[in-house]
Amino acid sequence: MSKNVNKVIWRHLIVGHLLLAMAISCTMPRSRVDNIWKVYHDEPQTVLVAAHRGAHRSVPENSLEAIDKAVEAGAHIVELDVRQTRDGVFILMHDKTIDRTTTGTGEVKDKTYDELKEEIRLTHQGKATAYPIPTLKEALLRAKDRILVDIDFKADGMQARFDAYEQIADLGVTDHVIFFLYDYTEMAALLAYDPRIKIMPRAYDAAQLDEIVRSGLTDIVHIDPSYYNDKLFRDISLHSPMRIWANALGTPDQEEAAGQGGYEKLFGHLSYVNVVQTDYPELMVGYIADVHERKPQQIN
């Protein structure tokens, strides 16, 4: 058989494999996370809802059950706080100590994971529950294909961030995570380590916001209402495909829950915000669907 014939055969085999791969990818069912990302990128007018520490009105914050409740509420993103135990295990915990949210006391960094797993349970509204403290791994697996995860990473040091990145990659969920940064200058180092993981820095003022937007390193930023104005964010929306994240925590949430129009006031002031974090995801999803002009499609 001639070399030319062999080349033709190999070319046909390669093309056949590519067509088969494309056919398989086209027939594979899309997950809810796939659909959320599609709206994230293609429908900037659609407001996405983030459940702060999960939907924790009836279950403990930062629990696996709070992830389930966030999905049930229709939230698109679940925000989870991550700390590291003395023996290097990443767990879900907001505070430095476990006093407020568990049956135990002391700082997370002084506890081994086995101590937390065997002896400690989460509390809800001051009462003990049967729920253990989840690991980051358990949380990511619970959320997989169901909801995006915003990781509020509270462990110290860049190496801890790299270690968390390794765990996220090992679980095959780099496309499920938004990694929150308190310091936007860390963006370049983390993107160099693994560019597959989306990062969300916080801009504490307009100057930081300008640097973040100009860097081109991310398409989502956490802002503060203190420097918000429509002209600034209208210009950003016209020139950059940027998601703008803000909080409804505190007064807006409380006023909405009390029937005092908290969300109407929030969006009246922050009209270009298109990701909003709330302690009441079911109320926010309902408000956006029923009242706000930028109605999100139901994402299943």
Side-chain angles (χ1 to χ4, degrees):
M1 187 177 294
S2 71
K3 291 182 179 179
N4 287 337
V5 173
N6 279 332
K7 287 181 179 179
V8 171
I9 292 173
W10 276 111
R11 190 177 299 118
H12 281 294
L13 286 172
I14 291 170
V15 171
H17 281 299
L18 288 173
L19 291 173
L20 178 60
M22 290 173 62
I24 292 172
S25 66
C26 289
T27 57
M28 287 178 64
R30 293 174 62 88
S31 71
R32 184 171 186 265
V33 164
D34 293 329
N35 293 333
I36 292 170
W37 278 128
K38 187 175 189 306
V39 172
Y40 178 103
H41 291 295
D42 296 347
E43 301 177 26
Q45 76 281 2
T46 298
V47 179
L48 300 180
V49 176
H52 181 232
R53 306 179 198 171
H56 57 85
R57 307 305 300 173
S58 62
V59 296
E61 67 180 57
N62 282 310
S63 65
L64 299 181
E65 290 70 25
I67 297 173
D68 294 338
K69 293 290 186 182
V71 175
E72 291 172 15
H76 311 98
I77 304 165
V78 60
E79 184 264 359
L80 301 172
D81 302 288
V82 176
R83 292 188 181 274
Q84 195 169 26
T85 64
R86 190 175 77 202
D87 51 344
V89 178
F90 294 116
I91 64 166
L92 303 192
M93 185 64 55
H94 178 272
D95 301 354
K96 287 185 177 181
T97 73
I98 62 174
D99 299 31
R100 180 179 64 86
T101 57
T102 80
T103 55
T105 59
E107 293 197 21
V108 174
K109 66 181 181 62
D110 296 329
K111 305 286 187 181
T112 67
Y113 174 63
D114 283 344
E115 288 173 334
L116 296 176
K117 182 180 179 181
E118 298 300 327
E119 302 172 11
I120 307 298
R121 290 295 178 266
L122 294 172
T123 58
H124 181 251
Q125 298 178 348
K127 297 180 180 179
T129 72
Y131 304 130
I133 300 171
T135 63
L136 173 61
K137 178 180 179 179
E138 290 169 337
L140 290 172
L141 291 176
R142 190 68 153 248
K144 188 174 184 179
D145 294 329
R146 304 168 69 207
I147 192 167
L148 297 180
V149 178
D150 166 44
I151 296 179
D152 188 338
F153 195 76
K154 298 180 181 297
D156 294 330
M158 189 60 73
Q159 186 57 52
R161 288 157 173 71
F162 293 158
D163 292 343
Y165 264 42
E166 289 292 337
Q167 186 168 111
I168 293 164
D170 288 345
L171 293 173
V173 291
T174 55
D175 60 344
H176 283 55
V177 168
I178 299 171
F179 203 88
F180 176 68
L181 296 180
Y182 289 94
D183 183 354
Y184 75 96
T185 65
E186 295 177 346
M187 288 192 299
L190 287 172
L191 281 171
Y193 194 84
D194 192 333
R196 296 173 297 175
I197 298 176
K198 187 177 293 294
I199 53 178
M200 179 176 66
R202 184 167 185 169
Y204 292 90
D205 54 42
Q208 288 189 2
L209 177 65
D210 184 63
E211 289 193 41
I212 290 166
V213 172
R214 287 177 182 276
S215 76
L217 297 178
T218 185
D219 64 357
I220 183 169
V221 61
H222 187 304
I223 70 156
D224 289 347
S226 60
Y227 60 86
Y228 180 92
N229 68 77
D230 277 349
K231 182 182 184 306
L232 172 63
F233 285 90
R234 180 170 58 249
D235 289 345
I236 290 173
S237 68
L238 289 173
H239 299 101
S240 305
M242 186 71 68
R243 280 274 173 180
I244 307 299
W245 173 303
N247 289 337
L249 310 176
T251 299
D253 270 345
Q254 293 163 6
E255 288 186 349
E256 188 69 23
Q260 298 172 356
Y263 295 161
E264 188 73 26
K265 297 174 189 175
L266 176 77
F267 285 106
H269 175 51
L270 306 175
S271 57
Y272 282 89
V273 164
N274 54 12
V275 185
V276 64
Q277 180 173 228
T278 173
D279 281 324
Y280 293 83
E282 66 288 342
L283 290 183
M284 182 62 75
V285 168
Y287 170 79
I288 293 170
D290 295 337
V291 180
H292 202 269
E293 64 183 3
R294 292 174 295 178
K295 294 181 180 179
Q297 69 181 47
Q298 184 64 36
I299 302 176
N300 299 308

